[in-house]
Amino acid sequence: MGAWGHEPFDNDTAMDWSYDLEESSDLSVLTRSLQPAPGYLEADQGTELVAAAAVVAGALHPVVRLPENIQNWLQRHATLEFASLKVPARAGIDRVLGADSELRELWEESEENFSAWQDCLQKLTVALA
């Protein structure tokens, strides 16, 4: 995972995922990303889960900062029922922050950035409340 910041789309995996979202016309990409397989959460799955949660939060609260391509997708699909994804998005963030998350383990290795990453995810959780 090439990372350059703690925000949900500040890495290559999330930006690649955003291009898949751009090609969709429904909630299927979001739904699939918010429901990864049970067990240990791999870093790429966690990154996509955070990106999906950020999209849901951004759809419900436009103050959430999203890349331009995602903002454009949300404008084109404003009639979709994003509220139905609030609960899985919040649960997903909890899972990423949990003990069985490779993404959390990777961020913990960077002591100076770990708290900023956690704060970012907590803000998403608040936006999804």
Side-chain angles (χ1 to χ4, degrees):
M1 173 180 74
W4 57 87
H6 62 271
E7 295 289 326
F9 288 93
D10 286 353
N11 63 78
D12 295 334
T13 301
M15 287 307 296
D16 289 345
W17 175 88
S18 76
Y19 302 127
D20 290 340
L21 180 66
E22 279 185 287
E23 298 297 318
S24 70
S25 60
D26 58 20
L27 298 175
S28 61
V29 172
L30 290 167
T31 301
R32 184 172 52 251
S33 297
L34 292 171
Q35 298 174 345
Y40 186 74
L41 187 65
E42 301 289 335
D44 284 349
Q45 291 176 314
T47 299
E48 290 177 1
L49 200 157
V50 169
V55 171
V56 174
L60 300 171
H61 302 283
V63 296
V64 174
R65 197 184 83 175
L66 297 170
E68 186 175 345
N69 65 322
I70 298 297
Q71 292 175 26
N72 293 337
W73 185 85
L74 286 171
Q75 287 175 353
R76 290 191 313 272
H77 298 89
T79 60
L80 294 176
E81 184 54 47
F82 292 97
S84 66
L85 298 177
K86 281 174 59 170
V87 171
R90 281 194 317 262
I93 291 173
D94 288 344
R95 187 162 174 211
V96 167
L97 289 168
D100 286 339
S101 168
E102 182 181 25
L103 189 58
R104 179 191 169 97
E105 292 170 5
L106 292 172
W107 277 103
E108 281 179 320
E109 292 173 6
S110 174
E111 291 178 24
E112 63 192 48
N113 295 315
F114 181 59
S115 63
W117 177 75
Q118 283 182 303
D119 290 345
C120 179
L121 295 187
Q122 290 302 330
K123 288 176 186 173
L124 285 179
T125 301
V126 169
L128 292 163

